[in-house]
Amino acid sequence: MEPYNYSLLNEKREVRRSNTYYCRNLIWTFAGALVLYIIVSSRRVKEIPLSQEEIELLDNDTTISPLFKAFYKCAKPKLLPFKGDIKDFWYNYASATEQCDDLGAYEALDLRPSKNRDETKYVAFPHRNENLTMVTLGIGHDVSAEVGLKTLYSNIEFFGADPSPEQNKDLYELNLGGKYFQYAVSDQNGVSESVILEKEGYQKETTQHISIDVFFKNIVQRSKIDILWIDIEGNEYAILKELHKNGKLDREGVKICQMNVEMHKDLNDDPNTEMQPFYDFVWKVLDDKKYVLMKPYFVVFDRFRFIRLFIVNVGDKECTDLYVK
């Protein structure tokens, strides 16, 4: 009788052990994936569809831009679940509406990116060659995006405002060839507190303020601002409320064709003072049917949270004739 080869038995045991481990790992992987799916699904907020009557009213109104109609139909159902809750609205806005950037109607816009040190700005290019007016509110020691834009489209006159001349004046005038003004632009005239960027970082200081309508009419002396970039550490909300129909800018006959805006939070002790005006701004935009909000981006920086938006005026004929194909 031949001796039994115990090495074969060991090999079979190893194969069975390996198969057992494989099956066990497969089960745990599947279970983990299932739990993750359940968690994500439970957190996913279901859209609230528009009523048929609302859709028909929108579609039948020939005064409303097709771009706005597409934006409204996409964004509003995604935002309705957060209506009435300013905190959820703030934290979910960007993720809820980012899918609306791929709308076919937006092919009518020739969008180009222009980067600075830490973000990407967007510009809708004109479809005919015209001299453009651009305003930067809050220079922040960086004009690389403006310089990049000037390289892409040279017929732009630049105006910049920042309450701190340190670096900003030379950058805007010498590097860019624009005109610099030492103001904090907001909704008021006079002396008030501002958050400004110094060598040591952001500081609160008392600075000279000028209201947005006075700045455009008396300093820039333009009634049409083609491109507006706003990064002014909290003062943006005071300006944004003037953009709506019958707002101060509208009453003064000032139109803004497109904007990049940074909406800040956590600059004040009470975050509601920042989340509430953002909430109000978005719902007023949906009511006005004048602007589309694009490229939402939620930023986490240290203890601060902010939202970046690209905003296009699709309700003013002078703007749409130049920027919408």
Side-chain angles (χ1 to χ4, degrees), residues 250-268:
D250 197 30
R251 294 195 302 270
E252 292 292 335
V254 176
K255 61 194 68 177
I256 301 169
C257 292
Q258 55 183 291
M259 295 163 270
N260 283 267
V261 185
E262 196 162 280
M263 320 274 199
H264 295 85
K265 193 177 87 65
D266 302 315
L267 295 177
N268 296 303

Side-chain angles (χ1 to χ4, degrees), residues 42 45 232:
S42 65
V45 178
I232 49 179

Side-chain angles (χ1 to χ4, degrees), residues 13-25:
R13 286 175 177 171
E14 289 299 324
V15 169
R16 284 198 297 271
R17 187 179 294 118
S18 176
N19 288 339
T20 301
Y21 287 154
Y22 174 78
C23 291
R24 187 180 299 164
N25 289 337

Side-chain angles (χ1 to χ4, degrees), residues 5 22 87 104 117 127 156 164 174 212 233 271 282 306 308:
N5 189 346
Y22 174 78
K87 184 176 181 180
R117 286 196 304 252
H127 55 76
I156 303 177
S164 172
L174 301 181
I212 185 71
E233 316 307 326
V282 173
F306 39 94
R308 292 176 180 144

Side-chain angles (χ1 to χ4, degrees), residues 90-91 237 263-267 271 274-275 304-306:
W90 169 269
Y91 281 102
Y237 297 112
M263 320 274 199
H264 295 85
K265 193 177 87 65
D266 302 315
L267 295 177
E274 297 149 324
M275 292 189 292
F304 303 104
R305 306 290 183 270
F306 39 94

Side-chain angles (χ1 to χ4, degrees), residues 304-317:
F304 303 104
R305 306 290 183 270
F306 39 94
I307 296 172
R308 292 176 180 144
L309 286 178
F310 176 52
I311 304 173
V312 180
N313 185 338
V314 296
D316 184 275
K317 189 175 186 302

